[in-house]
Amino acid sequence: MPVPAAPGRLPVLGHTVSMLRRRQLFTALLRNHGDVVRIDLGTMRTYFVTNPRLVHELLVTKGSSFRKGALFDRFQPIFGNGLATSNGEFHQRQRRMVQPAFHRRRIAHYVDTMARAAADWTAGWRPGQVRVLEEDTQALAVTIVGEALFSTELGRHAVDEVRRSLFTVLKQGMVRALSPSFVEKLPLPGNRAFDEAVARMRAIVLDVVRRWREDGVDRGDLLSVLLTAQDQDTGAGMSDEQVHDEVMTLLVGGVETTALALAWAFHELARHPEVERRVHAEVDEVLGGRTPTFADVGDLVYLKRVANEVLRMYPVWFLMRRTLTPVELGDAALPAGAEVIFSPHALHHDPVSFEDPYRFDPDRWTPERAGRIPKGAFVPFGAGARQCVGNLFAQTEIVVALATVAARWRLVPVPGKPVRVKFTSAAYPSGMLMTAVPRN
């Protein structure tokens, strides 16, 4: 329970592990106990930052004083030393080498893949057909990221393996990261499925990398950028192992966020007919029946607001950092080596930053209203030097996929089949059954 803050002390919450099962409520209520709240998670002392201004300091203005935290330490043996888990000068070097893969010129090229994949997804739909939407959007996100990564015939086999294994890795990986270390050594079905999925993905990614090196042709895909990248100081490229780690990072980061955002977007459009009507009107006006291009994305203004609102309402549950040196955040003096937590979900639903935060309201992203949102209050892709390198790719993918589908179809919830939610790293819909209805 909360301990009143004495002079020079932080409020402390103890015995909180059972409360964490009520994740949303727990993290949302922490703001009532201060800007920085000490939490004892078993034997690990952590500091939970609830104030968006201090989160901005944590990620941006004082970002160099932090590295990835304990949660990412648990992921490192799984995903290697990619951008999501690496730190320090090595992370900075890798980011400089990976960043060109997500230049706006490259994104414009990938839009064709996004639109084609979304069109292929709906090509086989029949009027009145019931779709399991979370499965559909997961498959679509894997196809888009996989085809952007791998353009060869062997690459298509890699995409098939990613489609088969990635969500086992994502879900079981989070379970493993949040469990005591001894659990991963137990002969449990989830552990076996996870280890087998990781081994299969590792083998096929390294095989694609090896064959690319033998061929040596730049095919314009993400893998080509990774394999031809050179460090600006030394001229050295990435090893096969490092390319594998970055591919895994891009797959994990590029699939989960967009798959969830697309599923929840169609859910919210169905719940808000006026929002859906405005989306259809804009798509009809901008596209006129055409397949969307990169140039169209800038004109789909309302659809981008819808995407932002979905990213606000359905972000990851929490992220962690660790102090490299003693750091002051507000009135809190954090020692070196302190584990620091912040919750994008709690920040995105803070009524101080967002009026009526549990209401789906795309118009909160008009320039006038969005300009009043405090720094640090909206962090779907993080911020600062460690902001997700593929954030523009993901935002573009959401808009292009929504526009492609909305041009021809509506998705209507199946009566009497409420959507269940399963939390791992974020809110996963389970049993999101929706009926495909042609717009014409």
Side-chain angles (χ1 to χ4, degrees):
M1 296 301 293
V3 175
R9 293 185 57 198
L10 296 173
V12 179
L13 297 186
H15 308 293
T16 59
V17 173
S18 62
M19 292 177 67
L20 283 171
R21 298 189 185 104
R22 301 175 236 168
R23 302 168 183 184
Q24 291 179 320
L25 180 61
F26 176 76
T27 52
L29 291 178
L30 284 177
R31 70 175 73 97
N32 298 332
H33 300 288
D35 292 343
V36 181
V37 183
R38 201 191 89 196
I39 307 174
D40 296 327
L41 300 176
T43 59
M44 182 170 64
R45 176 173 295 180
T46 68
Y47 299 87
F48 202 108
V49 182
T50 67
N51 184 304
R53 177 178 58 83
L54 299 186
V55 170
H56 183 72
E57 288 188 18
L58 166 68
L59 298 178
V60 182
T61 57
K62 297 181 179 179
S64 60
S65 298
F66 296 85
R67 56 162 288 165
K68 292 287 190 177
L71 178 66
F72 292 93
D73 291 345
R74 298 296 305 275
F75 275 124
Q76 195 155 29
I78 302 168
F79 299 120
N81 209 26
L83 284 179
T85 52
S86 60
N87 287 286
E89 293 183 2
F90 182 82
H91 175 269
Q92 295 173 16
R93 188 198 79 156
Q94 285 302 116
R95 189 175 182 93
R96 288 195 300 267
M97 295 173 74
V98 174
Q99 189 75 57
F102 296 97
H103 190 278
R104 291 181 68 87
R105 290 193 302 272
R106 291 271 181 177
I107 299 295
H109 171 70
Y110 303 143
V111 165
D112 295 338
T113 298
M114 298 170 186
R116 183 181 66 253
D120 289 346
W121 171 39
T122 60
W125 289 6
R126 301 186 306 276
Q129 183 182 39
V130 174
R131 310 292 306 183
V132 183
L133 204 65
E134 74 270 18
E135 295 178 3
D136 277 0
T137 58
Q138 289 170 11
L140 175 62
V142 168
T143 298
I144 291 173
V145 174
E147 291 186 3
L149 268 167
F150 312 113
S151 61
T152 64
E153 180 62 37
L154 179 63
R156 282 187 276 277
H157 294 302
V159 173
D160 289 340
E161 185 55 64
V162 171
R163 189 177 290 114
R164 174 190 179 193
S165 301
L166 183 60
F167 281 89
T168 297
V169 173
L170 283 170
K171 294 178 181 179
Q172 293 299 326
M174 180 57 70
V175 171
R176 181 172 291 197
L178 294 177
S179 301
S181 57
F182 72 87
V183 174
E184 65 190 65
K185 299 178 176 62
L186 299 177
L188 302 173
N191 282 341
R192 287 196 297 271
F194 174 83
D195 292 338
E196 291 167 2
V198 168
R200 289 194 304 267
M201 289 183 62
R202 175 181 174 80
I204 198 161
V205 169
L206 287 175
D207 192 26
V208 174
V209 169
R210 178 180 59 79
R211 297 199 188 193
W212 191 101
R213 292 220 192 262
E214 292 174 355
D215 194 5
V217 177
D218 185 344
R219 295 181 172 82
D221 54 14
L222 287 168
L223 182 62
S224 295
V225 178
L226 298 179
L227 285 163
T228 57
Q230 294 181 322
D231 178 64
Q232 64 183 20
D233 296 326
T234 66
M238 297 186 210
S239 66
D240 288 2
E241 192 69 28
Q242 189 59 40
V243 172
H244 163 271
D245 294 350
E246 299 301 354
V247 166
M248 288 297 296
T249 297
L250 295 177
L251 285 170
V252 171
V255 169
E256 183 179 47
T257 298
T258 51
L260 293 177
L262 286 170
W264 288 119
F266 287 113
H267 173 76
E268 293 293 348
L269 289 179
R271 293 178 64 237
H272 298 87
E274 175 59 21
V275 174
E276 183 184 54
R277 186 195 65 76
R278 291 177 64 181
V279 166
H280 290 162
E282 181 176 79
V283 167
D284 292 346
E285 179 182 353
V286 173
L287 301 182
R290 293 184 293 102
T291 300
T293 66
F294 185 67
D296 294 320
V297 174
D299 295 326
L300 293 167
V301 175
Y302 187 69
L303 199 49
K304 286 194 288 187
R305 293 176 194 165
V306 169
N308 263 355
E309 185 68 344
V310 171
L311 290 169
R312 183 189 71 82
M313 290 193 68
Y314 300 98
V316 297
W317 173 32
F318 74 94
L319 293 169
M320 296 185 73
R321 295 290 188 268
R322 179 181 300 137
T323 56
L324 292 169
T325 60
V327 179
E328 290 188 3
L329 286 179
D331 295 332
L334 308 184
E339 298 292 342
V340 183
I341 304 175
F342 67 98
S343 170
H345 188 279
L347 291 166
H348 293 187
H349 292 82
D350 186 343
V352 174
S353 302
F354 298 98
E355 181 182 355
D356 198 0
Y358 289 91
R359 180 166 64 92
F360 186 77
D361 178 16
D363 281 334
R364 73 173 79 244
W365 298 103
T366 61
E368 180 184 7
R369 292 178 64 187
R372 297 197 295 265
I373 296 171
K375 291 180 178 179
F378 181 60
V379 287
F381 299 102
R386 302 202 68 113
Q387 185 178 45
C388 174
V389 71
N391 64 318
L392 179 59
F393 183 103
Q395 291 169 303
T396 303
E397 179 184 351
I398 295 167
V399 170
V400 170
L402 285 174
T404 303
V405 176
R408 293 174 173 81
W409 294 92
R410 296 179 60 239
L411 286 161
V412 180
V414 175
K417 298 291 183 180
V419 179
R420 301 185 304 279
V421 179
K422 294 182 178 180
F423 271 93
T424 53
S425 57
Y428 271 80
S430 179
M432 185 180 282
L433 302 180
M434 303 192 80
T435 301
V437 178
R439 279 192 56 202
N440 58 0

